[in-house]
Amino acid sequence: MKDFIKVNNSSQITGGSDCIIKVRNVSKIFKISRRAAGIPGMLANMIAPKYEKKQAVKDISFDIEQGEMVGFIGPNGAGKSTMIKMLSGILCPDSGEIQVARYIPYRQRKEYVQNIGVVFGQKSQLQWDLPVIDSFELLKAIYRIPESDYKKNLNRFIEMLNMSEFLNRPVRQLSLGQRMRADIVAALLHSPKIVFFDEPTIGVDIVGKETIRNFICELNTQDNVSMIFTTHDMQDIEKTCKRLIIIDKGSKVYDGSLLGIREKYGTTRQLDVEFNKDIEVAPIEHVQIQQLDETDGRKKRFIFENQEVQIDELMNHLLSNYGIRDINVSEPEIEALIRKIYNGEVL
């Protein structure tokens, strides 16, 4: 891909045409006030304030293509919210370059926000005391959406998210799941090509989560909308995204597919076996054997590394030497692998 080049005086950056989001060597440092406790500390800070520097984002680079759905995750304080705020134009990076849809977000914010949608799970953009439909009409005026486009999007989204029953209800009377569906529609009425989701299913019940996830996937398929998710719910990521960017302590530690995480870090396998009777299994090389039920010795778990033990050979060994009622192979949970990456256990 070509290097970014600033053109004219518009502050735009040109480069490869396949990527809608381009981030190059972006860093952000915050100055945090530090003072002693009590009134003496407050007075001293007024005369000679002291600051501590905290690097929230450190030399991050990545590209996102049009239509990609990307999970952007990290532990609390990792810098992901800071990065998303820079991508959405709320914050300005201290160094590096950001281009989104051929705009520099923090320099061309007024024009830029017309091309993006933002959904905050804990902060609504709907008017609290107005019916949902009135909030939509207000957004139509703010974004200057043509009537035909507005009607087309509104009718389509209402049907896809099953919203007709609460359109005329004040927002304050909606359940959390209903409000989240309304907020998602509000962010999409002006047909943005990029949408940032921040905890889009937080607090929503299982049925509501599935409805939102299915809608997001369908919209991505039909409209080729690029989407970035920040969430602690890995089910949101697994159900919607093929790519994952993980940051920790301000730095990018992984950028690739969910499948790639399983292949690279999910080396541990487990075999849960229920035997016909309570038995003592002889030790097996490179295999850890755990008792699953202290009151019943029939259920045992066999844990091993897939590069050390062939699972078919282990199963054949058990089936040949013991009477088995049930057997189940478990893949490592993606949440457990992500947790290991956060803890630095696999990098």
Side-chain angles (χ1 to χ4, degrees), residues 182-195:
D183 265 313
I184 289 172
V185 171
L188 296 169
L189 283 171
H190 59 294
S191 302
K193 279 300 180 182
I194 308 153
V195 183

Side-chain angles (χ1 to χ4, degrees), residues 84-143:
I84 293 298
K85 287 177 181 178
M86 289 190 286
L87 286 171
S88 58
I90 297 173
L91 291 177
C92 173
D94 294 328
S95 62
E97 302 282 358
I98 297 176
Q99 175 183 284
V100 184
R102 301 191 67 80
Y103 291 96
I104 310 300
Y106 47 92
R107 292 179 184 164
Q108 301 165 286
R109 182 160 171 74
K110 185 175 180 181
E111 301 92 339
Y112 171 64
V113 294
Q114 299 286 332
N115 295 274
I116 66 171
V118 181
V119 179
F120 292 106
Q122 301 185 49
K123 185 177 181 181
S124 177
Q125 60 179 312
L126 304 172
Q127 301 301 309
W128 192 244
D129 292 312
L130 293 181
V132 174
I133 191 66
D134 287 0
S135 286
F136 290 165
E137 291 286 345
L138 181 60
L139 289 168
K140 171 193 168 188
I142 291 172
Y143 284 103

Side-chain angles (χ1 to χ4, degrees), residues 45-113:
N45 189 64
M46 292 174 63
I47 298 171
K50 296 181 180 180
Y51 297 95
E52 176 183 311
K53 290 185 177 181
K54 174 179 171 55
Q55 182 138 32
V57 173
K58 182 179 179 181
D59 197 32
I60 288 182
S61 298
F62 59 84
D63 293 334
I64 294 177
E65 294 185 4
Q66 179 65 57
E68 268 198 290
M69 300 174 74
V70 180
F72 196 84
I73 67 170
N76 290 331
K80 61 184 184 296
S81 294
T82 300
M83 188 70 241
I84 293 298
K85 287 177 181 178
M86 289 190 286
L87 286 171
S88 58
I90 297 173
L91 291 177
C92 173
D94 294 328
S95 62
E97 302 282 358
I98 297 176
Q99 175 183 284
V100 184
R102 301 191 67 80
Y103 291 96
I104 310 300
Y106 47 92
R107 292 179 184 164
Q108 301 165 286
R109 182 160 171 74
K110 185 175 180 181
E111 301 92 339
Y112 171 64
V113 294

Side-chain angles (χ1 to χ4, degrees), residues 96-285:
E97 302 282 358
I98 297 176
Q99 175 183 284
V100 184
R102 301 191 67 80
Y103 291 96
I104 310 300
Y106 47 92
R107 292 179 184 164
Q108 301 165 286
R109 182 160 171 74
K110 185 175 180 181
E111 301 92 339
Y112 171 64
V113 294
Q114 299 286 332
N115 295 274
I116 66 171
V118 181
V119 179
F120 292 106
Q122 301 185 49
K123 185 177 181 181
S124 177
Q125 60 179 312
L126 304 172
Q127 301 301 309
W128 192 244
D129 292 312
L130 293 181
V132 174
I133 191 66
D134 287 0
S135 286
F136 290 165
E137 291 286 345
L138 181 60
L139 289 168
K140 171 193 168 188
I142 291 172
Y143 284 103
R144 300 177 183 177
I145 306 171
E147 180 70 23
S148 59
D149 293 344
Y150 171 74
K151 289 293 185 184
K152 178 182 176 182
N153 285 340
L154 182 63
N155 293 335
R156 178 184 169 208
F157 297 155
I158 288 173
E159 181 179 356
M160 292 172 72
L161 286 169
N162 193 23
M163 293 174 52
S164 55
E165 65 178 66
F166 59 84
L167 271 181
N168 294 303
R169 196 181 303 169
V171 173
R172 56 184 165 77
Q173 295 181 5
L174 302 183
S175 69
L176 184 56
Q178 290 171 334
R179 183 181 66 75
M180 283 309 308
R181 279 183 278 169
D183 265 313
I184 289 172
V185 171
L188 296 169
L189 283 171
H190 59 294
S191 302
K193 279 300 180 182
I194 308 153
V195 183
F196 298 98
F197 290 99
D198 183 17
E199 302 285 1
T201 65
I202 188 169
V204 180
D205 62 38
I206 295 174
V207 175
K209 287 186 179 196
E210 197 64 23
T211 299
I212 290 172
R213 290 165 183 161
N214 289 339
F215 169 78
I216 287 170
C217 291
E218 189 172 349
L219 186 71
N220 171 259
T221 300
Q222 293 180 2
D223 294 6
N224 201 34
V225 179
S226 301
M227 301 179 181
I228 297 180
F229 296 81
T230 57
T231 178
H232 291 290
D233 187 340
M234 286 308 300
Q235 286 293 314
D236 283 349
I237 301 295
E238 287 193 274
K239 295 286 187 179
T240 57
C241 301
K242 293 182 179 179
R243 180 181 169 195
L244 195 60
I245 297 176
I246 303 175
I247 68 171
D248 190 17
K249 297 176 182 176
S251 298
K252 184 175 71 173
V253 296
Y254 180 82
D255 185 354
S257 67
L258 284 168
L259 179 61
I261 285 184
R262 291 190 183 278
E263 291 176 345
K264 186 173 183 179
Y265 305 120
T267 58
T268 302
R269 295 288 185 273
Q270 67 183 39
L271 198 65
D272 292 342
V273 180
E274 182 180 358
F275 296 91
N276 290 330
K277 59 181 181 180
D278 185 349
I279 62 167
E280 190 69 30
V281 177
I284 304 172
E285 188 177 11

